């Protein structure tokens, strides 16, 4: 393992699993990685103010990150800010691929 991780920064090297680490690893399979959740949380206000949802939702729908029902639920909120907040609340629960798909959608605009 030392040879495989020799070129990686210390922050990206695997550590022996602890009880908390095992819980995060399981979350990584079902939910968004904690680092990605933190990035969304730190940028929440800026994102909620600035996201333009129409293309973003279509991209997330195409990538199977959200369902048609979720899109309708988000669009049912009154005002762009409330819609953006609803999406930001939903994203961390949409699996480990949700953050990358979200970032890709932002870059494709």
């Amino acid at each position: 393992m030392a040879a495989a991780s020799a070129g990686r920064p210390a922050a990206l090297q695997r550590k022996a699993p602890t009880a908390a680490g095992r819980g995060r690893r399981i979350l990584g399979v079902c939910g968004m990685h904690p680092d990605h959740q933190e990035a969304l949380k730190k940028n929440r206000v800026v994102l909620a103010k600035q996201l333009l949802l129409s293309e973003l939702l279509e991209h997330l729908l195409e990538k199977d990150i959200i369902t048609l029902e979720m899109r309708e639920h988000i669009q049912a909120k009154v005002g762009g800010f409330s819609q953006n907040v609803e999406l930001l609340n939903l994203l961390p629960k949409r699996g480990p691929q949700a953050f990358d798909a979200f970032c890709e959608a932002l870059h494709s605009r």
Side-chain angles (χ1 to χ4, degrees):
M1 173 137 172
S5 64
R8 290 185 188 164
L12 297 178
Q13 293 179 5
R14 292 186 181 255
K15 298 177 183 173
T18 62
R22 283 190 298 271
R24 284 188 171 180
R25 188 174 46 183
I26 291 170
L27 178 63
V29 171
C30 300
M32 185 179 282
H33 189 278
D35 292 343
H36 295 163
Q37 289 180 14
E38 187 65 24
L40 287 176
K41 184 178 175 183
K42 285 184 176 181
N43 294 289
R44 188 174 177 86
V45 174
V46 171
L47 289 168
K49 286 181 179 178
Q50 296 182 0
L51 287 178
L52 300 174
L53 238 52
S54 58
E55 286 182 41
L56 184 60
L57 289 177
E58 293 307 315
H59 184 83
L60 295 174
L61 186 62
E62 178 183 297
K63 298 290 184 183
D64 292 323
I65 302 301
I66 63 169
T67 64
L68 286 169
E69 292 79 15
M70 291 172 185
R71 181 183 68 179
E72 291 171 5
H73 178 75
I74 291 166
Q75 290 174 329
K77 298 293 180 181
V78 177
F81 185 84
S82 295
Q83 291 175 350
N84 291 344
V85 166
E86 191 63 30
L87 174 63
L88 293 171
N89 289 340
L90 183 67
L91 270 179
K93 303 169 193 164
R94 299 307 303 158
Q97 306 304 320
F99 185 79
D100 290 336
F102 177 70
C103 291
E104 183 181 317
L106 292 176
H107 289 292
S108 70
R109 296 187 46 227

